[in-house]
Amino acid sequence: MDYSYLPHTEIEVSKICLGTMTWGKQNTEAEGHEQMDHAFDKGVNFFDTAELYPIPAESERYAETERIIGNWFKKTGNRDKVVLATKIAGKAEFTKHIRTTGFTRDAIIGAVEGSLERLQTDYLDLYQLHWPDRNTNYFGKRGYEHSATDYWEDNIHQVLETLRDLVREGKIRHIGLSNETPWGVMRYLEESKVHASLPRMITIQNPYSLLNRLFEVGNAEVAHREKIGLLAYSPLAFGVLSGKYLGNRKPDNARLTLFPNYARYSNEVATSATQKYYELAQEHNLSLAQMALAFVNSRPFLTSTIIGATSMKQLEENIASSAITLQETVLERIEKIHDEIPNPAP
């Protein structure tokens, strides 16, 4: 397993990060614990979760994933050996059962306290804003459309002040963003540059895969120049880049079979691109999943790739991708396909 540092810290994290959003819905607590045991044994020391999980978000299962992880920490005593990241849910129709206030001071403090209790820990290594308070383009929306009726009062200074206080109390070590645009990243970074007492965002958790390389358009330059690390989520595009849905297949218990509304990566153009990537992987005796993950792992702006699996077989294959280095000929062919079908699934 390769490791890298969380930017601006001395914290080493595995190049593969264990994603957890299926635990408590598609996976039982026992299966979640089995996944953590295996990943930890393979050198994965970085776990990512969120108060929102499992998904789809439901009030009766609210934050069940964090509870599962907390029980594993209690059982194994491995808390101090794991770099733990979680997130506060943003404001949306599907999060009204969590809160409706957005990132107010009370909301952030309450969310952190709740996560600490469920995770059975007294500190969080990385605390992230799951998506912006303001209306902007994320979760599959390609372009930004401004509306004068969508009023948003800039609260970024206040958000950072609250996070600063939680850092000072020792409840949070570092902070990060998620589903954020270049404007949002720079706005947070500039605020902490101007006000030296405010904490600095060190990571951004955004989608990045062979089907969605929009991070490269604006955020990649920000990542390089500002030293903010990408935590790439959906590197397999909801499992589409495993190839298991090709030919209109609907495998039993697969995410898109169970939740067909999660169609972000399943449009006709994305399916065409997936077929081309599948054929390329076959030519070089690679599984499509491992080629797709190895590509993401190779990006110079990447800090860690977040994988998620519902079976041990998937988990083993995904973790093994960390040992694969793609040949230049494969990378060149990937670029050719990308030029033909760029970013088919935002």
Side-chain angles (χ1 to χ4, degrees):
M1 179 61 63
D2 291 331
Y3 297 83
S4 59
Y5 288 100
L6 287 178
H8 308 278
T9 79
E10 296 182 354
I11 300 174
E12 277 194 307
V13 294
S14 47
K15 211 58 181 260
I16 296 293
C17 174
L18 183 62
T20 63
M21 69 181 182
T22 62
W23 304 349
K25 179 72 173 179
Q26 288 178 262
N27 289 105
T28 65
E29 178 164 340
E31 289 169 339
H33 287 196
E34 184 182 18
Q35 287 193 28
M36 285 183 277
D37 288 339
H38 179 78
F40 186 75
D41 287 345
K42 291 297 182 181
V44 175
N45 76 335
F46 192 17
F47 295 179
D48 177 75
T49 190
E51 66 167 343
L52 183 73
Y53 299 161
I55 62 166
E58 300 170 331
S59 59
E60 60 269 25
R61 296 178 188 269
Y62 167 60
E64 186 63 23
T65 304
E66 287 188 330
R67 294 187 185 90
I68 288 171
I69 296 169
N71 289 340
W72 185 81
F73 285 145
K74 183 179 181 181
K75 179 177 73 172
T76 63
N78 283 336
R79 172 64 188 97
D80 62 340
K81 302 179 184 69
V82 169
V83 180
L84 177 63
T86 192
K87 315 178 197 73
I88 178 174
K91 191 162 51 175
E93 282 295 319
F94 60 90
T95 58
K96 286 184 175 180
H97 63 283
I98 301 175
R99 71 184 62 84
T100 59
T101 58
F103 299 149
T104 63
R105 180 177 179 83
D106 287 346
I108 295 171
I109 292 172
V112 168
E113 295 288 357
S115 288
L116 290 171
E117 181 178 358
R118 291 184 293 269
L119 290 162
Q120 302 190 48
T121 183
D122 55 7
Y123 71 98
L124 303 167
D125 295 289
L126 181 65
Y127 196 64
Q128 305 155 101
L129 309 180
H130 207 152
W131 62 89
D133 244 357
R134 66 192 191 280
N135 289 323
T136 186
N137 49 313
Y138 52 83
F139 291 154
K141 185 176 179 181
R142 187 182 293 274
Y144 172 69
E145 297 176 7
H146 188 69
S147 171
T149 61
D150 288 334
Y151 177 74
W152 170 70
E153 183 175 355
D154 191 326
N155 62 345
I156 286 174
H157 186 93
Q158 289 74 27
V159 168
L160 289 174
E161 279 188 328
T162 303
L163 294 171
R164 176 200 61 198
D165 294 345
L166 290 163
V167 170
R168 287 175 174 174
E169 291 175 25
K171 295 175 180 178
I172 296 172
R173 296 181 71 187
H174 300 285
I175 58 173
L177 296 163
S178 184
N179 295 295
E180 190 53 275
T181 67
W183 183 88
V185 177
M186 289 305 303
R187 178 70 187 84
Y188 274 99
L189 292 178
E190 288 302 312
E191 194 69 28
S192 59
K193 287 179 183 178
V194 171
H195 303 280
S197 70
L198 298 180
R200 184 191 200 284
M201 295 294 179
I202 64 168
T203 56
I204 173 172
Q205 184 176 149
N206 271 29
Y208 186 79
S209 70
L210 290 174
L211 299 181
N212 180 348
R213 292 170 58 177
L214 289 172
F215 188 86
E216 298 173 7
V217 176
N219 271 321
E221 182 179 10
V222 175
H224 279 296
R225 297 190 185 279
E226 300 293 332
K227 304 296 188 292
I228 184 167
L230 172 64
L231 307 179
Y233 83 76
S234 288
L236 292 181
F238 291 170
V240 168
L241 285 168
S242 69
K244 63 186 176 184
Y245 299 109
L246 288 174
N248 293 316
R249 287 177 295 189
K250 295 183 178 180
D252 291 342
N253 298 317
R255 186 182 310 170
L256 299 186
T257 305
L258 295 172
F259 315 118
N261 57 310
Y262 283 9
R264 182 171 175 179
Y265 301 99
S266 303
N267 63 69
E268 186 176 338
V269 180
T271 300
S272 177
T274 300
Q275 181 66 43
K276 288 180 181 290
Y277 288 124
Y278 174 79
E279 292 167 2
L280 172 60
Q282 291 289 293
E283 288 175 27
H284 292 269
N285 297 313
L286 295 165
S287 76
L288 175 55
Q290 288 192 326
M291 185 184 82
L293 289 170
F295 172 78
V296 175
N297 294 342
S298 72
R299 299 301 87 189
F301 43 75
L302 181 89
T303 293
S304 191
T305 302
I306 303 171
I307 61 166
T310 53
S311 73
M312 288 302 297
K313 181 179 179 181
Q314 291 171 345
L315 182 65
E316 291 163 4
E317 180 182 31
N318 292 353
I319 292 175
S321 70
S322 64
I324 296 174
T325 300
L326 298 179
Q327 300 173 3
E328 281 300 319
T329 53
V330 175
L331 291 171
E332 289 169 2
R333 289 279 300 282
I334 285 174
E335 290 304 319
K336 185 176 180 181
I337 296 170
H338 179 62
D339 287 341
E340 294 172 2
I341 313 176
N343 298 316

